[in-house]
Amino acid sequence: MSEAFGILTQDLGKRFDDFWAVRQVNLQVRYGEVLALLGPNGAGKTTTLRMLTAVLQPSRGQAWVAGYSVRHHPQRVRARVGVLTEQHGLYKRMTAGEYLRFFGRLYGLEGADLEARIEKWLHFFGLEHYYNRRVGGFSKGMRQKLALARALLHEPQVLLLDEPTSAMDPASARQVRNAIRELRSSERAIVVCTHNLPEAEEIADRIAILHRGRIVAAGTPQELKARLGPPEFEVVLARPLQGSPPPVPAEVQVTRVEERSFRFYWRSSNGETPPPEALNPRLLAWLLTHQWPVVAFIPVPRSLEEVYLKVVEHDGA
Amino acid sequence: MMARNPSSRPATARSRWQMWQAWLRPVWLLVQREVQDQLRDWRILTPLIGLTLFFPLLANFTARRMVAFMQQYNAVLIAERLYPFLLLIVGFFPISISLVVALESFAGERERGTIEPLLAAPLSDAQLYVGKLLAVLFLPLMGSYLGLVSYTLTMVWRAGWRPDATLLFVVWLLSTVQALVMVSGAVVVSTQATSVRGANLLASAIIIPVALLLQWESLLMFWRRFNILWTVVAGLLVVSVLLVRMGLAHFNREGLLGRDLDLLNLRWAWRVYWQGVTGGAPNLRAWYRGPIRESLHALRLPALLAAGLAVVGFGLGAWVVSRFPWEALEADPARLEALRQSQWTRVGVVGPLSALGSWQGWLRVWWHNARAMLLMSLAAVFSFGVAGLLYLMLPFAILGGGMVFARFVLGLSPGWYMLGFVLPHGSVEIPAIVLFGGAMLRLGAALATPARGKTLGGFWLQALGEWTRVMVGVVLPLLGLAAALEAFLSPRVAQWVLWTQTFGGGP
């Protein structure tokens, strides 16, 4: 079963002395899938990643990465994983070429194949002109890209990226995000740890929110957003409302009233979200019939940030 | 019957060699990278060049000036012995750089954040550790060899010195093993420290013993006791092997990433130690039935080893004393009689043996033995148990020597000697010493034993707790009983044996 997944964990836990940094983490990441691990500082994201890299031994549970158990075959796991660590960890006195060659050889690559791969990944990240330049002179963004090139050099089946765009300028961050999207393939599973919620939404197929060492919510971005309740809509009017919403049908639940606008959602009678495609035109017709000058009728955008804050606050409470 | 495949043996050897090559490949890559990095760091390179190239010339100049000065006072002997002494120093100075590099091998990488990609690479702990060890050893050792060669050549050329090839070889070996000891010790420190600062603070545990050793070696050089230097080389080799073993046993990726603080947590330390002592037993009865019994069970093998060494010590003592020219003494009855009388006075009716028969004497004997054991344990901790066991052999060597002495001087047979001087209290004391030897060996060896999932400090504190358990629960009470026997019973038995067997009823 573990072969079907790039990453599979069962009740994974890590304890440092008396403190459980990670508890009962169950993850399934298929090949070709990108999972974003979200969570505040100290939530256990890096510890989870280190266990998946077989650098830390789990205190409880089990994890299989690229089909191998992190407990029983740590070296095989490490050979099949590409890691971008929180600190990129570059040797500053080496040139970019020397650095990649050193790690490539550690992963068993040699000769023309290694040189071709170095060239390929330097080119991929726009660093081809820096082959002979010392890493110490690189900008933060360039270092991050070089570290990513190191993680990808041996074409790993599983890619684990800890804060891949942290401390990067927007243009470089965009470049790295595009690169991650390009790296997605049917033979590779990717896990990205990040604080950056729009980034997670942009690149991940599924998101897991980690809080106090546990996964408190997981699913696709849409599934997570559905946790906020039925979709809301905003109606903007040309005339002031003077504090009270217009008289609307009983199924319409008004949630907020502003000077010239109000927000609502369709109340459900059976627990299912009513289809707005059918109901919204009805409300619009009703408002127009009752002489309400409608300027705009728009869905309220729902951010992952709201989901995240709600989940974390709920777990904290 | 199956025909033997003639190519099977070479094929196995070849595949074994290929496995070794595959194992060594990443080690070599690490060494290459680290050495390249050191060669690009002027802070390492500058002192290394200075100590390798200029210091031998300075030593050469100093030696020649000193010799010229000494010759004015006909102290040629001192001058001659200065040459090998300075050779030792010239070989040692570049090695001192290795300590600095080794101390930051793991702690420095951790501090710079470069360790994690390396830990995530497909390398085993042993490959990573050995690679780092060899990398920090390489340049300073090359510097040391270069220094030795340049000093020797310039001394031959400028001062006409004709060094003995054996001396050159032993100094070369000494420089190598000293570097190995310092580097292996410093790498252990570096793996356990959370920062380079922390590693530097802990480095005194290496610097002080090595400085003392160097002073002792210098004395040996001036006394021209080069043969003892071979023993030093062998001893240092054993220590370095044990240090490497210790480093490998306690090296763990988790510790390198997990530890962030250097806080002294006394409460935690006490808890771990106390758990080691009590083994979680709620009361004294449960303690003796559970943890003490378990400890005694675990001590079977080390105690057996201690007992074996006690027998060896006894035999060695007997052998050394038997080499004394007793025949010459027997040929001189007057001298033999005088010796017998003096022994009678020393251990006889009015001697110190009879003065032991008091509670004060009991306490003195008990404290003497307990103190000796504490000191032996201390020596064991710093030598992985080896020095403690060597000291343990000493009392048994004295017993063995005493047996031969009693045979020739007092005419006592080994059986009467054992009955009169050893067995009354030894029947309790010897098992206590053997048990203590086992516990001490376990405590010393704890540092070189793998401790999965535990820190070096935690593992050692627990081992210390278990040592305390055996000492407090078994050894010290047995010593108390033995001291009582030695204070009240043994003197009487010894007097009776001497009275009846030696003097036939009176001196």
Side-chain angles (χ1 to χ4, degrees):
Chain A
M1 181 190 162
S2 62
E3 285 81 8
F5 298 95
I7 295 168
L8 177 68
T9 72
Q10 282 176 353
D11 278 340
L12 194 66
K14 181 68 196 171
R15 193 169 74 171
F16 295 107
D17 295 328
D18 299 333
F19 171 69
W20 281 96
V22 171
R23 287 176 292 171
Q24 295 171 319
V25 166
N26 293 299
L27 289 175
Q28 293 181 344
V29 188
R30 292 180 183 280
Y31 290 108
E33 195 176 36
V34 179
L35 173 84
L37 267 182
L38 290 182
N41 289 329
K45 302 187 297 285
T46 302
T47 304
T48 306
L49 233 56
R50 283 175 176 170
M51 282 193 279
L52 296 178
T53 330
V55 172
L56 293 184
Q57 273 280 310
S59 308
R60 185 178 285 173
Q62 183 58 279
W64 291 269
V65 177
Y68 289 100
S69 157
V70 295
R71 273 187 199 277
H72 303 115
H73 300 106
Q75 240 169 291
R76 287 185 189 173
V77 167
R78 286 197 283 266
R80 285 159 181 82
V81 169
V83 196
L84 177 75
T85 50
E86 203 173 352
Q87 289 174 302
H88 29 67
L90 305 174
Y91 295 114
K92 292 180 186 168
R93 290 193 199 96
M94 291 180 116
T95 65
E98 285 171 346
Y99 181 76
L100 292 181
R101 197 172 302 115
F102 167 65
F103 272 97
R105 292 178 76 190
L106 278 185
Y107 281 90
L109 304 170
E110 280 296 344
D113 176 38
L114 174 61
E115 291 306 319
R117 286 180 193 222
I118 292 173
E119 207 173 303
K120 172 189 162 185
W121 289 111
L122 284 179
H123 183 77
F124 185 87
F125 288 108
L127 295 172
E128 65 271 29
H129 301 302
Y130 298 91
Y131 183 91
N132 284 319
R133 291 273 285 275
R134 293 265 162 92
V135 177
F138 281 21
S139 69
K140 272 183 187 169
M142 287 161 77
R143 287 180 191 184
Q144 194 82 335
K145 287 177 199 167
L146 184 63
L148 259 172
R150 175 201 67 216
L152 288 159
L153 203 60
H154 58 295
E155 307 279 357
Q157 288 168 267
V158 174
L159 193 58
L160 304 171
L161 310 172
D162 200 354
E163 308 286 353
T165 57
S166 65
M168 281 180 124
D169 61 78
S172 298
R174 159 78 33 212
Q175 208 180 349
V176 168
R177 275 198 294 274
N178 290 341
I180 294 169
R181 268 199 296 268
E182 283 180 51
L183 290 169
R184 188 195 313 227
S185 79
S186 58
E187 283 122 32
R188 185 174 291 137
I190 303 176
V191 175
V192 182
C193 284
T194 182
H195 291 296
N196 190 332
L197 304 179
E199 178 177 285
E201 197 171 356
E202 192 184 328
I203 61 175
D205 300 305
R206 286 193 307 120
I207 290 168
I209 299 176
L210 212 58
H211 189 236
R212 294 179 178 170
R214 287 184 306 116
I215 291 182
V216 287
T220 62
Q222 290 71 31
E223 282 167 354
L224 288 176
K225 282 177 186 175
R227 286 175 163 241
L228 289 172
E232 277 193 328
F233 299 92
E234 186 169 345
V235 179
V236 183
L237 302 166
R239 156 170 121 209
L241 282 167
Q242 290 163 346
S244 59
V248 286
E251 309 98 288
V252 172
Q253 175 66 51
V254 175
T255 55
R256 197 157 82 185
V257 179
E258 302 284 336
E259 195 189 344
R260 285 170 192 270
S261 68
F262 69 95
R263 282 186 184 188
F264 75 94
Y265 65 85
W266 290 98
R267 217 192 295 249
S268 146
S269 53
N270 56 3
E272 284 179 20
T273 305
E277 302 83 20
L279 296 174
N280 284 0
R282 245 181 67 198
L283 178 66
L284 184 62
W286 189 90
L287 287 167
L288 293 173
T289 312
H290 290 80
Q291 308 288 308
W292 287 95
V294 177
V295 177
F297 197 118
I298 44 177
V300 175
R302 318 173 85 183
S303 69
L304 199 59
E305 189 177 339
E306 281 177 84
V307 182
Y308 173 80
L309 290 173
K310 187 182 169 190
V311 165
V312 167
E313 276 167 25
H314 179 260
D315 189 57
Chain B
M1 205 168 104
M2 270 177 72
R4 182 187 279 260
N5 178 3
S7 64
S8 66
R9 272 176 73 101
T12 312
R14 199 181 307 133
S15 63
R16 205 170 291 157
W17 168 238
Q18 279 168 347
M19 271 170 64
W20 263 106
Q21 269 187 317
W23 194 90
L24 283 170
R25 192 176 163 276
V27 173
W28 174 238
L29 286 173
L30 274 177
V31 175
Q32 268 182 314
R33 197 213 76 76
E34 297 267 336
V35 171
Q36 191 185 49
D37 209 53
Q38 288 167 30
L39 285 171
R40 287 173 179 173
D41 190 345
W42 66 269
R43 292 165 304 176
I44 296 172
L45 217 52
T46 312
L48 201 61
I49 289 172
L51 291 170
T52 305
L53 297 177
F54 301 116
F55 185 72
L57 298 177
L58 185 70
N60 179 299
F61 173 76
T62 312
R64 283 186 293 116
R65 301 300 299 172
M66 286 266 300
V67 168
F69 176 75
M70 297 287 190
Q71 274 171 345
Q72 290 174 17
Y73 302 96
N74 288 328
V76 184
L77 190 72
I78 298 172
E80 275 177 1
R81 292 182 186 185
L82 194 70
Y83 290 163
F85 164 71
L86 281 172
L87 183 71
L88 184 78
I89 300 299
V90 162
F92 178 79
F93 271 26
I95 289 169
S96 60
I97 301 287
S98 67
L99 189 69
V100 182
V101 186
L103 280 173
E104 77 108 59
S105 56
F106 283 102
E109 282 228 31
R110 185 179 189 272
E111 223 165 56
R112 290 188 295 274
T114 52
I115 193 86
E116 202 170 341
L118 209 54
L119 296 179
L123 295 165
S124 69
D125 288 355
Q127 284 170 321
L128 198 52
Y129 192 87
V130 173
K132 284 276 185 188
L133 188 81
L134 293 178
V136 288
L137 202 60
F138 184 76
L139 267 190
L141 213 50
M142 289 303 114
S144 171
Y145 295 163
L146 244 164
L148 288 175
V149 170
S150 65
Y151 173 80
T152 310
L153 289 181
T154 49
M155 287 302 288
V156 169
W157 174 47
R158 300 291 300 273
W161 185 41
R162 296 284 175 269
D164 181 26
T166 318
L167 168 76
L168 288 178
F169 185 60
V170 80
V171 171
W172 174 79
L173 267 182
L174 209 54
S175 302
T176 310
V177 289
Q178 270 171 178
L180 198 59
V181 165
M182 284 172 67
V183 164
S184 47
V187 172
V188 170
V189 168
S190 191
T191 55
Q192 301 300 316
T194 56
S195 62
V196 176
R197 181 173 166 268
N200 283 329
L201 289 171
L202 289 169
S204 56
I206 301 160
I207 295 166
I208 293 170
V210 171
L212 290 172
L213 182 73
L214 207 64
Q215 288 177 32
W216 188 54
E217 286 168 4
S218 308
L219 282 176
L220 292 175
M221 284 287 188
F222 275 104
W223 289 337
R224 215 178 156 74
R225 299 294 299 273
F226 300 144
N227 54 334
I228 300 179
L229 288 176
W230 289 104
T231 320
V232 177
V233 168
L236 286 177
L237 202 62
V238 171
V239 171
S240 56
V241 167
L242 287 169
L243 279 170
V244 172
R245 160 117 181 97
M246 174 185 173
L248 275 170
H250 294 277
F251 177 81
N252 74 76
R253 290 160 199 257
E254 199 159 329
L256 281 170
L257 290 172
R259 277 191 303 272
D260 281 322
L261 295 170
D262 277 320
L263 286 177
L264 179 63
N265 190 343
L266 286 176
R267 191 178 292 178
W268 165 82
W270 173 252
R271 207 172 57 223
V272 173
Y273 170 74
W274 192 242
Q275 174 64 27
V277 177
T278 62
N283 54 47
L284 197 65
R285 192 182 154 88
W287 190 50
Y288 270 99
R289 286 185 145 194
I292 291 276
R293 192 182 283 183
E294 281 166 22
S295 288
L296 292 179
H297 190 73
L299 280 181
R300 281 176 310 169
L301 194 65
L304 195 70
L305 185 65
L309 282 171
V311 172
V312 171
F314 188 86
L316 272 174
W319 177 73
V320 168
V321 176
S322 68
R323 284 163 59 92
F324 187 79
W326 295 108
E327 300 78 16
L329 195 66
E330 277 170 347
D332 188 353
R335 203 169 147 213
L336 184 62
E337 190 52 34
L339 193 63
R340 282 180 65 197
Q341 288 299 332
S342 71
Q343 291 307 308
W344 177 244
T345 314
R346 275 182 67 187
V347 298
V349 184
V350 291
L353 276 184
S354 56
L356 281 174
S358 66
W359 288 109
Q360 216 175 10
W362 169 80
L363 191 65
R364 213 164 56 203
V365 170
W366 181 83
W367 173 236
H368 170 82
N369 290 339
R371 188 182 52 187
M373 286 184 175
L374 284 174
L375 290 174
M376 277 189 239
S377 301
L378 201 65
V381 167
F382 288 105
S383 62
F384 305 96
V386 177
L389 280 180
L390 291 177
Y391 282 124
L392 189 82
M393 289 166 74
L394 201 64
F396 292 96
I398 293 169
L399 282 183
M403 185 180 74
V404 177
F405 181 83
R407 168 82 186 86
F408 285 106
V409 176
L410 301 173
L412 274 181
S413 69
W416 280 110
Y417 168 77
M418 294 301 281
L419 182 70
F421 293 91
V422 180
L423 285 180
H425 60 278
S427 54
V428 179
E429 193 174 308
I430 291 173
I433 294 175
V434 166
L435 270 179
F436 158 74
M440 179 177 63
L441 190 64
R442 253 173 82 88
L443 176 68
L447 290 175
T449 313
R452 207 162 183 80
K454 285 182 182 165
T455 61
L456 177 62
F459 188 68
W460 189 78
L461 278 171
Q462 196 188 337
L464 186 69
E466 286 175 11
W467 172 86
T468 313
R469 183 196 296 173
V470 175
M471 287 300 284
V472 174
V474 184
V475 175
L476 291 178
L478 280 180
L479 282 185
L481 180 63
L485 291 169
E486 195 169 349
F488 297 106
L489 179 68
S490 293
R492 309 281 163 232
V493 178
Q495 281 165 6
W496 176 76
V497 168
L498 280 174
W499 191 275
T500 56
Q501 297 301 310
T502 311
F503 303 105

